Amino acid sequence: MKFNSVYQLPFVAGMKKAVEYFKDNKKALNQYNKRTTELKKYIGKTQIENNIFKITFTEKDNFENIKIEIATYLTKIDAFSLKPPEPEVLMQNGFDFIKYHVNTNSKKIDYNNAAAVIYANKYTSNPLNMSSDISVWNPEYKTYDNDCANYVSQCIYAGGISPTAAWYPESMIWIRTGSPRYTSSGITDYMQQKKIFYSTNYSAASEGGFICLIKESHVVFITSNDSITILFNGHTNDRKQVSFPHLHESEVIYLNPNN
């Protein structure tokens, strides 16, 4: 990351503004300090991003007019979706993140973000010329043609969330996405109902969280987020440390562990 200090990040500046606005509210300060500490590790570090680009020449024998797309989760989309928002938007994300915690009372969970990410990186890949490479998936679990929710559930479990009577390996809630597009329950709605995860914005989503793509009914796991670029892992179309585009919250749900 090109910034020399975590306090130069627009997201952090937005959080600081919120802390001042809420007059050093204890919950505001706790979240500000927690998130700032998480972000410090990205400062001055080179980040490897594994992206798959498709370049199409829109005119024959014309190398100037081209279309660039990126293969992210399931489909190819315009590569410009990777462009970060303006600093003002990132600042607002920081302010809204603190505001949420000031106005929310929920018991914090015991969850190890780092352990979940280690698991996520161990059991997926970026396979060449095929959608998935089951040889790197965890053989202790049953696999599915649509394995995205199964994989994300495994990552959450690796982070320390215990199975329940409803959410356990091979259960419907474990292997379904729970996208609002459908009425069937899955990890997205279940984790929110149980207050294990909560919805947030792009910049505020921590590593160890996950993302639900509403229209596609697809979930991916967040392995890194410096508040500007999310990297994610996934199954079905296997991905490992791939950049996630800046999609509007009407298209996706960014989910943070409530710890």
Side-chain angles (χ1 to χ4, degrees):
M1 182 181 283
K2 66 179 181 179
F3 294 93
N4 296 318
S5 168
V6 71
Y7 303 106
Q8 294 175 342
L9 290 170
F11 176 77
V12 173
M15 288 198 299
K16 183 179 180 182
K17 184 178 179 181
V19 169
E20 294 169 350
Y21 178 84
F22 291 108
K23 303 184 185 303
D24 294 333
N25 175 279
K26 184 177 180 180
K27 289 189 288 186
L29 282 169
N30 286 342
Q31 287 300 320
Y32 173 79
N33 291 331
K34 177 177 180 289
R35 191 72 180 108
T36 300
T37 299
E38 291 174 353
L39 291 170
K40 283 181 179 178
K41 67 181 178 183
Y42 296 108
I43 301 300
K45 302 295 184 181
T46 300
Q47 179 165 275
I48 297 175
E49 302 175 22
N50 300 310
N51 296 316
I52 305 169
F53 292 96
K54 177 183 178 182
I55 300 176
T56 305
F57 296 97
T58 55
E59 295 180 22
K60 186 178 180 180
D61 299 326
N62 187 336
F63 290 87
E64 294 182 359
N65 295 324
I66 61 174
K67 179 181 180 181
I68 303 176
E69 296 174 300
I70 182 170
T72 51
Y73 33 89
L74 285 174
T75 56
K76 297 180 182 67
I77 61 174
D78 195 314
F80 285 103
S81 63
L82 294 178
K83 181 182 178 182
E86 295 299 320
E88 293 77 13
V89 175
L90 299 175
M91 287 182 66
Q92 187 63 50
N93 284 347
F95 188 95
D96 291 343
F97 172 69
I98 296 297
K99 180 181 178 181
Y100 169 85
H101 285 282
V102 169
N103 295 328
T104 302
N105 291 308
S106 59
K107 184 179 179 181
K108 300 302 180 184
I109 63 167
D110 186 13
Y111 182 73
N112 189 326
N113 300 53
V117 170
I118 289 171
Y119 181 95
N121 285 330
K122 183 177 181 179
Y123 291 110
T124 194
S125 63
N126 289 306
L128 295 175
N129 302 319
M130 56 183 176
S131 61
S132 60
D133 182 1
I134 297 178
S135 70
V136 301
W137 294 9
N138 190 341
E140 295 183 6
Y141 289 93
K142 183 178 179 179
T143 61
Y144 302 87
D145 290 338
N146 296 312
D147 202 69
C148 62
N150 182 35
Y151 169 71
V152 170
S153 286
Q154 292 172 35
C155 295
I156 294 171
Y157 173 62
I161 303 302
S162 299
T164 66
W167 178 74
Y168 56 89
E170 300 182 34
S171 67
M172 289 296 100
I173 291 177
W174 181 284
I175 66 172
R176 286 177 173 169
T177 67
S179 168
R181 181 181 177 185
Y182 300 102
T183 57
S184 56
S185 187
I187 56 171
T188 299
D189 58 331
Y190 181 79
M191 290 296 164
Q192 291 179 91
Q193 290 168 7
K194 296 299 181 181
K195 301 187 185 304
I196 300 172
F197 286 75
Y198 64 92
S199 63
T200 188
N201 59 63
Y202 186 106
S203 300
S206 299
E207 63 175 49
F210 68 102
I211 303 169
C212 175
L213 293 115
I214 297 171
K215 181 180 178 181
E216 295 84 354
S217 188
H218 185 55
V219 288
V220 297
F221 195 76
I222 300 171
T223 57
S224 173
N225 187 11
D226 58 14
S227 79
I228 297 174
T229 301
I230 286 177
L231 300 185
F232 75 91
N233 289 12
H235 273 191
T236 305
N237 278 4
D238 288 7
R239 296 288 186 268
K240 184 175 182 179
Q241 296 178 337
V242 172
S243 306
F244 193 83
H246 288 265
L247 299 181
H248 191 267
E249 284 147 41
S250 62
E251 301 175 85
V252 297
I253 304 173
Y254 301 103
L255 292 140
N256 241 2
N258 188 24
N259 59 351

